[in-house]
Every structure is written in structure tokens, then in C-alpha cells.
Amino acid sequence: MLAPMTAYVCPRCRSRAAADALTWCCPQCRGPWDLAFDAAPVSLPTLASRVNSLWRYAEALPLATTAPEVSLGEGRTPVVPLSDTVSAKLDFLTPTLSFKDRGAVMLAELARRLGPRLVVADSSGNAGTAIAAYTARAGVPCAVYVPEGTSAKKLEQIRAHGARLAVVPGGRDAAARAAQEEAGAPGVLYASHVFNPHFLHGTKTYVYELWEDGGGTLPDTLVVPVGNGTLLLGAALALDELHGHGLIDRRPALVAVQAAAVSPLATAYRAGARELTEPAPAGTTLAEGIAIPRPPRAAQILRAVRDTGGDFVTVTDDQIRAAQADLARRGLYVETTAAACWAAVREAPPRPGTTVLPLCGAGAKTGLAPA
């Protein structure tokens, strides 16, 4: 059912499980899986005649199919300039209005093939709306757990797609624990955008698109918002594949952006740590999508930034608010989490060469940040 030679593998203890199993985490470490999958090189000259969605990069996808049944045309988002050297990739122009569609379509395709009785997800909002939409497309029942305080518009969207919605008292960690409890039941697929590596193989297409649109080249720097790190880790995966196949001669620097109020990874990085030793203290921020106090893939995120010569940048709510307003005046209405990257670029010293950042969630989902 799945691509040949795919299996789940634990990046810490090297435990393995079949990729068609419903085992959602390493039974030894209780951590997230990686996927033992060898992507084949993508042929740039052949792409013009392929399907106009992320499925065009079939050689690089573990669930590749010539006729994807759950696709909604996700991917292939435009890039527009913000300055002479900085451009934005408009990943809010996707079916559910966030970049999470890239990973959600992979998890929904996995669910379509495995046929669980229920798909369970947890989210601060955008991943939940994406999973709800794509499981609806796949015809698989879905339940989504979100923390209290999640945007009302995102809750409305999840319900509209027919998912069972559970609003959990407490923060993001509480929602994850509730989802994982249900995920332990027989016949349940935990469609976690953090624990299931198929999601990362969807988000990596963000970089494949930049590579294609650049005629086989990439910008010097990729600035990415980081909470659980699913876009950054997908980007790192794509960079490794493209470089390993000789399709790029260097990896761009990955610059990770966190909200100053919830920035455990930035703190660990500045201390020279390779693991997250302590979660972030309780805090609130306008950038709810990256307010993750204890990201399960912390070690992988820190390593990816270091390996590319990147950095971490933190931004305040005031800076995020100003960046969101500035983007809106430029015709780009995005949510506060998406504005964090533009805030970082505006505030941090400029890096040499060209830079691309994602605008990864629509402003219609959260509204304009209050003054």
C-alpha cells in the first residue's frame, strides 16, 4: 500500500515500525517517528507538464500516486517581493488558508489507504482545520482537539468540515495529551503534524517549489516561523534531498523565528544546547501558532538550524502587530503568526543575499491584532 522500503524509525534509539501500522510514537522513547524513505531526484525539465499541485514532486513523496484522490490542489503558491532582497511565499493561498495543507494532504492520503475507524489530531488551529478538511475529502471520520482560546474562526472551520471538535481546558500541551489518549484506542490513526513524519514530507514541498520556480536555484536564506517546527524540518528535509542528489550546490541558511514570550528553542540555541532541557515558562503571545512550550522535535530543529549556518530570532508582540499592519498596507492580510517572520526580517540585521519567508496563514482566520 505504501511506497517500497518505507518504515517508521526513531531518530533517538533507532526502533522501527511498519509505516502501515497505527503505532503513533516510538514505544521505547515515546518520541516522534522519522520515515525511512529514500526520495529519488526530481527531474526539473519534466515538471512543466505535471499536475499543478504538490503531487508533481512524486519522486520525492512516500505516498506518491498518479491520481491523488484527496488533493484539493494544494501547493504551487506564488512568491512576491517585499523589498529588493526579500520575498514572501504566499502559503496562505491554499484550500484551508494555511501552509498546513501541505502536510495534511499526506496524512489524509495515508488515512485513505489504511482505513482507520477514526483519525485524531490536535492543533492550535491551522493544522486542525487542514486535517478536518482533508479527512472530509478522504471520507474518513475525524476528531480534532484544540486548546481553549483557539480562534473562533478556526473552530468554525473545523466544525464546518464535519470533524468532532473538542476544546480542551489549558494550553497546547493539554490538547496534545487529550488527543494522544484517544489515539491509543484500537483502529485510531493519530494524524499528528508533529509525531507523524508523513506531514514533514508534505511541508518539504515548500522548498521544492522555490527550487522549481528559481530554475533549479534557491535563495540564500529561508526565514521560517517555528513552534513545533514542521515547516522548518520539512525545509531541512528538502534541502538534504536536493543537495544529496546534486540538484543544488549549497544549502540556504535556515533562520527560525519564535515569539519572545514563548521561545524555548531560541533560548536553548543561544545557550549552545543540543536538546531542550526546560519547557518555556507560561506565556501568551499574538503568535498562537508558534506558542509551543515543549516541541517534541526540539533536538532536530536545533540541529537543522546549526547545520545550515542559520540562527534564531525572537520578536515581541508589538513587533508582530506592526508587521501585520505593514503587510496589510501592502495588500497582504495574514494572521499574526504569519507576520512574525516579516517582523523578524524588519528588526534583525540584514543577511547577505536573497531571503524568502512564508506568509503561512490568512488574516481572515484570526483578524487584525488589537492595538
Side-chain angles (χ1 to χ4, degrees), residues 177-255:
R177 288 192 297 270
Q180 289 162 9
E181 184 175 348
E182 183 161 14
V188 176
L189 172 64
Y190 184 30
S192 169
H193 59 294
V194 181
F195 280 81
N196 194 302
H198 286 94
F199 195 94
L200 304 182
H201 283 268
T203 61
K204 76 182 181 184
T205 59
Y206 172 88
V207 168
Y208 274 91
E209 289 176 15
L210 290 174
W211 170 76
E212 179 186 355
D213 291 344
T217 64
L218 286 169
D220 298 289
T221 301
L222 299 177
V223 179
V224 186
V226 172
N228 277 311
T230 54
L231 184 54
L232 183 139
L233 290 173
L237 188 60
L239 296 181
D240 286 347
E241 291 172 357
L242 290 167
H243 190 264
H245 294 140
L247 297 173
I248 54 174
D249 58 9
R250 55 163 184 81
R251 296 176 178 87
L254 290 171
V255 174

Side-chain angles (χ1 to χ4, degrees), residues 220-226 232 252-258 304-305 308-313 341 344-345 348 351 355-356 358:
D220 298 289
T221 301
L222 299 177
V223 179
V224 186
V226 172
L232 183 139
L254 290 171
V255 174
V257 179
Q258 293 212 284
V305 173
T308 62
D311 200 359
F312 274 83
V313 178
C341 284
V345 170
R351 295 180 68 93
T355 295
V356 171

